[in-house]
Amino acid sequence: MEQLLIKIELMMKKAFILLFVLSVLIGCQQSKPGARMVSNADELTEAIANAQPGAEIIMANGEWTDIQIRFAGTGTDEEPITLRAETPGQVIIQGQSNLKLGGEYLVVDGLYFTNGASPSESVIQFFINDDTLANNCRVTNFVIKNFNKSQRNKQDLWVLFKGRNNQLDHSYLAGKSNRGPTIRVNLQGNESIKNYHKINNNHFGFRPPKGGPSAETIQIGSSYTSMTPSYTLVADNLFNRCNGEVEIISSKSNFNEFRNNVFYKSEGSLVTRHGNYCIIDGNYFIGDEDSPHVGGVRLIGTGHWMTNNYFYNLSGEIFRAPLAVMNGIPRSSINRYIQVTDVNVAYNTFVNCVSPLQFGVGSNVDQKDVLPASEIRSLPPIRTLVANNIIYNDQGDRIPIFRHDSIDGVDFKSNVINNQGVAFRGVEGLEVKEFSLAEIEKNVWVPSTDLSEVKVYNGFEFDRIDKDIFGNYRSANNSIGAAISKSSQSSNIMDLSKYGPDWYNPSPAEVDAEIHIVGNSDELNAAIEKAKDGDVIELASDLYMIDLSLKIDKRLTIQSADSVNKSTILFTGGAQTPAFEMNPKGDLTLRAVRLEGNKENHAFASLKENMSSLYNLTILDSEILNFDYVLKAHKYSFAEYIKFQSTIITNCNNGFELSGEDDDRGDYNAENIYIIDSQFDGVRKNVINYYRGGYDESTVGGNLVVKGCTFTNSGEGEENGTLLNTYGIINVDISENTFRNNKVKLITRLWGAKNNSASNNTIVNSGKIISEKNLPLKLIY
């Protein structure tokens, strides 16, 4: 027995020693010898000041508030200086915080920026000041989410590159809503040109539309440095619903490369806005059946190679066309449009895209009477080659090649189209041919028919195109299109593990909505405050009297329990206060509710300031009466969607006031407005005042649909005599409405040169609808 106890004791000692050794080994893997843990700003500053090559500084898990990190040092290629989170994702940077790097071979790893905003021009920047730039530095494994300035007009950047050979990789950036690109590469000074920066394997999540220019996801250079060489590489990233503006990527410098990126349902395009000699290779552009704004590639300038790209289900028009080759301006200034010359468009595949090839985009010779000569885009592309491309349409396209101007300077060689027998105006070098496709993964189709009989065109330096979109070598078995083989393997382009940090889940499981049944005003207020995003509040009583605004800062539905006998919310609040105050991220659906005011207050209004993010508003089957304004959108506020359907609006002084952006800089107050099957009676001034000032031809927003509505006895008090003001809005559809006994001069003035239309309206004693080809607008640049 004693010997048995001795053996057990020896075994326990050996186990203890083994566990100790393992713990040491694990510790060595987690932290380098001499690694320093810091838990506050002073310790962090001291550790950075004393860091030598190979040092590792570990920020303790927890919330770091109002921290401005100045990470300066000199590491080496073999022994960089590293600043990292104790646990990736558990070091939360919030409040007025930012990070600046300066020096050589620095690495920052695993931080999470949220619930705050930078106090400076950027959240992360690769320089500390003009004398201390970053070179050979890396920011990795990061998240920046909803880290916005207080108002959308206040500009900043989330990542700002200077110096050379810097890298942003495996990070997640989403929710930028204020002015300024998410990422900018600056090229000012010789220290920042020929920079060879890398932006790779990142997940760019939802960027909401800003409602105007200056909301790109990536901008490389600027107009004033656009003739300088950058050599920035943007590769293997996912752009997931990046809808900030018409340009997702704006390349404004020379020799940049865009390879193997996925643009998924993003309402914009990859644009070679200024600068030349870009490579656009192996990218996927995936459209959305519910959005006509998802684009592809827009080409401006000279020497670009666009090869091996895949375009699917895109229906964007003109500036957002699948391929938009623009017209240039004679003797163009550096910030306008240089003629497209010496461009190769080869080995691309277009599947189910509307008018996929568009040439002479932006031609505006017809506007020469209202624009200066320096703005007239009259030079069509020249010395441009379109070769070895495939076009396939499930349903035939009447205009697969859209000529906005002459295409005499474009050569077509060995291109093939299956247009399902639908006739179109063709060109020599585009062969009509029957062939089939097979889906190898969701949204990705490749030819299942052998196209080897189509002779591949070998143009000058086409040997540079040595691989297809899947990485297969073309030398052995070349064929037209982005993929050379019908047996190509799936690339799993939507495998989210390939993009961003592995510790962050960008798509958490949705929590089931909870229904809150409320019987009085106090319960209604309490339920709105308590409810979680997506919850439903059900009104069980006939009347709710409210004297203070109901704050909406989450996604909520408020509805009557009885949709026939609607509950009434009677708002008795003071003049110019709203019954529903729309805050950042507020998303309200009001269904089957009667909302009544006192003729001095508002039904709905945004905050007057600090609208750091957008709001949405949907009103269904409701009644709104006795308000000063139905909706008052204050300056700098923005809504992605405003929808009123099957709703009656009566006895209000004003309708929808969306004209707060009066600086004429291209901004506007809402992206999409839908007024459907609704009735307006006794709205004293104009029913809609929707304004976008400033001429910027590449901003294509402002979308208004008014359909199936009735307007009576409205507009009498409106000084400009117009019932529906839509000045400067690009897309307007006024159709199938009835206008009766409205004492106005005009129902609306449409912009004939843009996508404004009116059809099948009944007009009785209500003025008229007119269209002006060209509206006089102030240039914004």
Side-chain angles (χ1 to χ4, degrees):
M1 184 66 178
E2 185 177 352
Q3 290 181 346
L4 178 60
L5 291 173
I6 292 172
K7 287 182 179 180
I8 292 173
E9 185 177 357
L10 289 173
M11 291 174 63
M12 291 179 66
K13 287 182 178 179
K14 289 180 180 179
F16 177 81
I17 292 171
L18 179 60
L19 287 172
F20 176 78
V21 172
L22 286 173
S23 66
V24 170
L25 290 174
I26 292 171
C28 289
Q29 290 176 348
Q30 291 179 340
S31 301
K32 298 178 181 178
R36 180 172 177 184
M37 178 80 72
V38 296
S39 57
N40 58 56
D42 291 339
E43 291 178 2
L44 176 59
T45 300
E46 180 187 358
I48 291 172
N50 295 320
Q52 299 299 313
E56 184 177 62
I57 303 167
I58 304 171
M59 295 178 69
N61 291 346
E63 296 179 350
W64 293 66
T65 303
D66 298 337
I67 179 80
Q68 284 91 55
I69 304 172
R70 302 296 176 262
F71 186 24
T74 303
T76 67
D77 190 8
E78 297 79 14
E79 292 190 301
I81 301 173
T82 300
L83 172 65
R84 70 170 177 86
E86 178 184 1
T87 304
Q90 294 188 32
V91 173
I92 311 298
I93 311 294
Q94 59 187 15
Q96 295 292 298
S97 300
N98 58 17
L99 166 66
K100 298 182 179 181
L101 299 87
E104 299 278 346
Y105 294 103
L106 307 177
V107 177
V108 186
D109 185 352
L111 305 185
Y112 186 178
F113 281 78
T114 191
N115 298 325
S118 172
S120 61
E121 66 175 327
S122 52
V123 179
I124 298 173
Q125 64 185 49
F126 287 88
F127 66 99
I128 292 178
N129 51 48
D130 290 341
D131 298 322
T132 309
L133 305 186
N135 297 293
N136 305 297
C137 294
R138 180 187 182 196
V139 172
T140 185
N141 205 26
F142 250 67
V143 167
I144 308 177
K145 183 178 179 182
N146 300 330
F147 209 72
N148 290 309
K149 299 278 191 181
S150 60
Q151 292 182 165
R152 69 169 177 153
N153 64 306
K154 295 181 178 180
Q155 177 165 319
D156 71 353
L157 309 156
W158 279 6
V159 181
L160 176 55
F161 282 86
K162 284 188 179 181
R164 290 183 171 179
N165 298 304
N166 297 312
Q167 181 176 11
L168 174 73
D169 66 280
H170 294 91
S171 294
Y172 178 80
L173 301 90
K176 191 174 194 300
S177 59
N178 61 308
R179 186 178 183 87
T182 306
I183 294 176
R184 177 183 286 157
V185 176
N186 272 12
L187 298 170
Q188 297 170 348
N190 289 332
E191 303 89 346
S192 296
I193 67 172
K194 299 180 183 177
N195 55 67
Y196 294 93
H197 296 315
K198 293 181 181 179
I199 302 170
N200 63 281
N201 295 98
N202 300 291
H203 184 165
F204 295 97
F206 177 60
R207 174 154 192 181
K210 172 185 159 288
S214 192
E216 304 93 334
T217 297
I218 298 178
Q219 182 188 81
I220 305 175
S222 68
S223 301
Y224 304 103
T225 60
S226 60
M227 294 297 105
T228 56
S230 183
Y231 294 100
T232 295
L233 173 65
V234 179
D236 301 296
N237 301 286
L238 172 63
F239 296 86
N240 190 346
R241 293 180 173 87
C242 295
N243 302 339
E245 61 142 272
V246 69
E247 297 181 13
I248 303 167
I249 295 179
S250 185
S251 182
K252 296 184 174 183
S253 47
N254 294 333
F255 303 109
N256 297 312
E257 298 187 22
F258 307 96
R259 295 184 180 273
N260 308 317
N261 301 286
V262 177
F263 297 83
Y264 182 75
K265 297 186 178 182
S266 292
E267 295 185 339
S269 301
L270 191 169
V271 183
T272 60
R273 182 63 183 85
H274 303 304
N276 307 303
Y277 307 108
C278 289
I279 294 174
I280 303 170
D281 181 81
N283 302 283
Y284 296 82
F285 298 85
I286 308 299
D288 186 346
E289 293 179 355
D290 296 326
S291 173
H293 307 308
V294 179
V297 174
R298 180 153 53 102
L299 296 177
I300 302 140
T302 191
H304 307 303
W305 285 71
M306 180 185 135
T307 57
N308 291 322
N309 300 286
Y310 175 82
F311 302 81
Y312 177 71
N313 202 24
L314 305 180
S315 55
E317 299 178 344
I318 310 176
F319 284 84
R320 284 181 167 128
L323 172 61
V325 182
M326 287 202 65
N327 262 20
I329 296 172
R331 296 177 296 280
S332 174
S333 62
I334 199 167
N335 68 330
R336 302 312 300 131
Y337 289 90
I338 295 174
Q339 185 178 21
V340 173
T341 70
D342 305 289
V343 165
N344 288 299
V345 177
Y347 292 112
N348 302 285
T349 296
F350 299 84
V351 178
N352 294 338
C353 294
V354 177
S355 297
L357 306 182
Q358 300 200 20
F359 299 93
V361 169
S363 177
N364 62 345
V365 176
D366 61 339
Q367 293 180 281
K368 64 182 184 300
D369 293 335
V370 295
L371 292 174
S374 60
E375 287 300 312
I376 302 303
R377 297 180 294 274
S378 59
L379 298 178
I382 60 173
R383 298 193 303 276
T384 293
L385 176 63
V386 179
N388 303 333
N389 300 286
I390 289 175
I391 302 172
Y392 180 94
N393 296 307
D394 281 340
Q395 298 180 352
D397 188 343
R398 293 186 303 105
I399 316 176
I401 300 177
F402 201 116
R403 301 160 171 84
H404 298 269
D405 204 328
S406 169
I407 61 169
D408 291 347
V410 181
D411 290 329
F412 294 83
K413 302 289 185 181
S414 298
N415 303 283
V416 167
I417 182 172
N418 183 344
N419 207 38
Q420 306 300 336
V422 174
F424 65 94
R425 182 184 176 190
V427 293
E428 184 178 353
L430 176 60
E431 177 185 355
V432 176
K433 186 177 181 63
E434 290 188 9
F435 60 93
S436 301
L437 301 181
E439 190 174 27
I440 61 172
E441 66 177 277
K442 187 176 182 181
N443 298 324
V444 179
W445 297 75
V446 299
S448 57
T449 303
D450 186 1
L451 294 175
S452 60
E453 64 186 60
V454 179
K455 185 177 180 181
V456 174
Y457 179 78
N458 290 310
F460 178 69
E461 288 192 331
F462 269 38
D463 55 330
R464 292 171 48 180
I465 316 170
D466 59 344
K467 294 181 182 178
D468 74 354
I469 194 171
F470 299 115
N472 300 311
Y473 282 97
R474 290 190 173 275
S475 56
N477 185 28
N478 201 9
S479 65
I480 64 172
I484 63 174
S485 173
K486 62 182 179 182
S487 61
S488 297
Q489 296 298 309
S490 169
S491 293
N492 297 315
I493 60 171
M494 294 306 295
D495 177 3
L496 299 187
S497 67
K498 299 163 67 173
Y499 318 101
D502 56 12
W503 54 265
Y504 183 78
N505 180 9
S507 304
E510 292 189 7
V511 178
D512 291 339
E514 183 179 351
I515 299 178
H516 307 262
I517 299 175
V518 299
N520 56 55
S521 301
D522 290 340
E523 290 179 359
L524 174 58
N525 278 288
I528 290 175
E529 184 176 350
K530 174 186 174 183
K532 297 182 176 61
D533 199 56
D535 282 0
V536 176
I537 297 173
E538 193 167 280
L539 307 177
S541 298
D542 294 334
L543 178 64
Y544 298 79
M545 295 187 66
I546 304 294
D547 58 5
L548 295 176
S549 299
L550 299 172
K551 178 180 177 180
I552 305 299
D553 58 2
K554 66 197 80 171
R555 182 163 52 90
L556 287 178
T557 296
I558 300 177
Q559 62 189 29
S560 295
D562 185 343
S563 61
V564 176
N565 299 306
K566 300 178 177 66
S567 298
T568 295
I569 297 176
L570 177 61
F571 181 58
T572 61
Q576 300 185 21
T577 62
F580 290 94
E581 179 189 84
M582 304 306 297
N583 284 247
K585 301 182 184 178
D587 189 333
L588 174 65
T589 297
L590 196 68
R591 181 181 285 112
V593 173
R594 187 176 185 272
L595 181 62
E596 183 175 353
N598 62 13
K599 292 301 293 282
E600 295 183 348
N601 48 29
H602 309 332
F604 311 93
S606 67
L607 294 180
K608 292 183 179 179
E609 56 185 14
N610 296 329
M611 285 296 291
S612 61
S613 186
L614 57 76
Y615 68 95
N616 291 317
L617 180 63
T618 301
I619 311 299
L620 305 172
D621 189 28
S622 294
E623 299 175 26
I624 299 172
L625 65 158
N626 297 339
F627 284 99
D628 186 19
Y629 284 89
V630 176
L631 171 63
K632 177 71 171 178
H634 292 287
K635 190 177 181 67
Y636 305 133
S637 68
F638 185 72
E640 184 179 9
Y641 289 99
I642 295 171
K643 182 176 183 179
F644 280 62
Q645 184 167 353
S646 302
T647 291
I648 299 171
I649 296 173
T650 58
N651 198 30
C652 294
N653 290 325
N654 302 273
F656 302 88
E657 182 60 44
L658 298 153
S659 62
E661 301 299 350
D662 55 3
D663 295 334
D664 291 348
R665 300 296 299 166
D667 291 333
Y668 43 98
N669 283 126
E671 190 69 24
N672 303 287
I673 303 175
Y674 301 95
I675 313 295
I676 309 295
D677 298 331
S678 295
Q679 300 176 37
F680 297 83
D681 183 63
V683 178
R684 198 174 72 84
K685 296 185 180 180
N686 51 23
V687 174
I688 296 174
N689 189 10
Y690 187 19
Y691 179 80
R692 171 185 178 270
Y695 176 76
D696 173 21
E697 74 294 325
S698 66
T699 300
V700 297
N703 303 282
L704 172 66
V705 175
V706 180
K707 188 172 184 178
C709 297
T710 300
F711 302 84
T712 56
N713 304 312
S714 296
E716 181 178 3
E718 178 54 44
E719 293 179 1
N720 65 23
T722 303
L723 191 68
L724 310 177
N725 286 301
T726 63
Y727 198 90
I729 302 302
I730 303 298
N731 303 297
V732 176
D733 177 10
I734 311 292
S735 60
E736 300 176 21
N737 304 288
T738 297
F739 299 90
R740 182 175 286 111
N741 297 328
N742 301 288
K743 295 183 179 180
V744 293
K745 295 179 182 178
L746 299 177
I747 293 172
T748 191
R749 174 188 283 109
L750 300 176
W751 191 357
K754 297 299 181 181
N755 189 28
N756 284 203
S757 66
S759 62
N760 301 321
N761 296 291
T762 299
I763 302 173
V764 178
N765 191 29
S766 295
K768 57 185 177 180
I769 296 174
I770 66 171
S771 179
E772 293 185 10
K773 180 68 173 177
N774 295 306
L775 297 181
L777 287 168
K778 178 182 177 181
L779 295 176
I780 72 171
Y781 34 79

